[in-house]
Amino acid sequence: MTAQTRPVDHELIQAAAHVARTRCRGDNHTMAAAARAQDGRIITAVNAYHFTGGPCAELVVIGAAAAQGVYELDTIVAVGDRDRGVVPPCGRCRQVLLDYFPALKVIVGNDDRVRTVLVADLLPESYVWADHQLDAE
Ligand SMILES: [Zn+2]
């Protein structure tokens, strides 16, 4: 693992924190995510909790981005409601994010210790779905 330091997109954290503070309600919506598109736009979303496996905010943001015509994301961050700050992606989201955006940057850590890492660094020795498709070139 490299010790490379990447800049932290604080505007992106603020966007997610704003959505977490103003849009999360009750038990159904407790997390917000913000993603920076390649063109600089910020897309935000909240999770849709359900006991059957409702999607995390990071997954909802992928669909929200696509609905706006954004199919490439540069950086993503998730922030918890009730001032919980930056929350790292769960295992499922790490896998999905890696498969969708192999070069994605993810903001992790809390308060003054936030940092930007590559999604691949959050999932070492990972299963790469595309490598196991029979029609892969
Ligand atoms: Zn997740």
Side-chain angles (χ1 to χ4, degrees):
M1 185 166 300
T2 62
Q4 182 180 354
T5 301
R6 296 175 181 83
V8 173
D9 189 340
H10 289 281
E11 185 185 21
L12 198 61
I13 298 172
Q14 290 306 314
H18 176 74
V19 172
R21 193 168 46 248
T22 60
R23 301 296 186 215
C24 288
R25 290 284 185 279
D27 294 334
N28 288 342
H29 309 291
T30 58
M31 290 290 305
R36 177 77 68 182
Q38 299 282 6
D39 66 6
R41 275 187 279 175
I42 291 177
I43 293 98
T44 58
V46 297
N47 71 312
Y49 176 80
H50 192 265
F51 69 89
T52 60
C56 297
E58 294 95 323
L59 301 188
V60 179
V61 97
I62 294 173
Q68 296 179 40
V70 174
Y71 301 97
E72 290 298 329
L73 300 179
D74 180 75
T75 307
I76 195 167
V77 65
V79 170
D81 66 351
R82 290 163 280 175
D83 295 321
R84 286 183 288 144
V86 172
V87 176
C90 74
R92 177 178 66 166
C93 287
R94 291 175 193 214
Q95 183 73 59
V96 174
L97 292 169
L98 178 70
D99 288 334
Y100 269 72
F101 316 108
L104 183 71
K105 295 182 287 261
V106 184
I107 299 172
V108 297
N110 42 33
D111 298 331
D112 57 340
R113 313 248 335 192
V114 291
R115 63 192 190 283
T116 302
V117 300
L118 295 174
V119 67
D121 290 339
L122 293 176
L123 209 57
E125 301 294 337
S126 56
Y127 173 85
V128 178
W129 182 83
D131 289 349
H132 301 279
Q133 302 313 299
L134 295 177
D135 58 352
E137 291 295 315

